[in-house]
Amino acid sequence: MRFIRRISDQWRSGYRSRILVLAIVVLLLVIFLYPFQSTTLPEWNLRVVDDAGAPVHEINVTEHWQDYLLETEGHEEVRTTDQDGRVSFGQRGLRASLTGRLLARVSKFGKHQPEGRAIRYGAVVVWGNRSYETTVGVNQGEVPPAEVHVRRVR
């Protein structure tokens, strides 16, 4: 009987350790394979104004954004300003796993990157009205610019 009890105890302790190892492996797989959300560009509310500070209404504004590390192509969306010269774009982001992010970094290692090039890019282009010059506004930080000034064509 003792012999059988000893074998049973050894089997249980081995079984517990196998379950613990399996639980750790599953947890690590979830952590490394789950596609976490990251923000490429925060919500952007801006106002388009002319040289005199007057709102420019009904002019096209195209938002461009891309995460250069994780995406090979950029995105864009066109909107038109309202009567107060305002236009809004929602938060832009993407989902990628830690493994995908790590592999993207490794694949880009050693490739030529221009100095100062951000990993995430966001810009707006104001265009489509013959009375105003086409103008670009670039998001160079965490908070995008609140106003874009366009010059009137003389």
Side-chain angles (χ1 to χ4, degrees):
M1 238 9 214
R2 280 184 162 168
F3 176 72
I4 293 174
R5 189 177 298 152
R6 192 177 328 144
I7 290 174
S8 176
D9 290 343
Q10 287 175 352
W11 184 82
R12 279 189 206 126
S13 68
Y15 182 71
R16 287 182 191 142
S17 64
R18 285 187 196 118
I19 287 181
L20 180 63
V21 168
L22 182 61
I24 290 171
V25 167
V26 168
L27 180 65
L28 288 173
L29 282 174
V30 167
I31 289 171
F32 283 101
L33 298 178
Y34 180 78
F36 292 99
Q37 177 75 26
S38 62
T39 301
T40 304
L41 189 62
E43 182 178 5
W44 199 339
N45 299 307
L46 64 98
R47 186 170 186 229
V48 179
V49 296
D50 65 12
D51 302 332
V56 179
H57 60 87
E58 297 182 10
I59 193 167
N60 295 322
V61 180
T62 303
E63 181 185 45
H64 299 269
W65 71 95
Q66 182 177 357
D67 185 318
Y68 288 116
L69 183 63
L70 298 172
E71 299 177 297
T72 57
E73 294 183 14
H75 312 274
E76 65 180 43
E77 181 178 347
V78 180
R79 300 238 171 129
T80 304
T81 59
D82 64 13
Q83 288 304 109
D84 196 31
R86 296 189 184 280
V87 66
S88 296
F89 297 96
Q91 177 178 305
R92 309 302 183 176
L94 57 88
R95 299 183 77 82
S97 67
L98 293 176
T99 302
R101 293 168 196 265
L102 179 64
L103 291 174
R105 284 201 185 271
V106 168
S107 72
K108 302 229 182 204
F109 183 76
K111 293 183 179 174
H112 175 68
Q113 287 284 353
E115 288 295 320
R117 181 176 181 183
I119 292 174
R120 293 178 185 92
Y121 169 77
V124 290
V125 178
V126 181
W127 60 280
N129 186 322
R130 292 183 183 183
S131 300
Y132 298 97
E133 292 181 358
T134 298
T135 305
V136 177
V138 179
N139 178 16
Q140 297 180 343
E142 292 296 314
V143 179
E147 280 191 349
V148 175
H149 295 266
V150 293
R151 290 179 47 188
R152 188 174 281 281
V153 176
R154 306 214 188 276

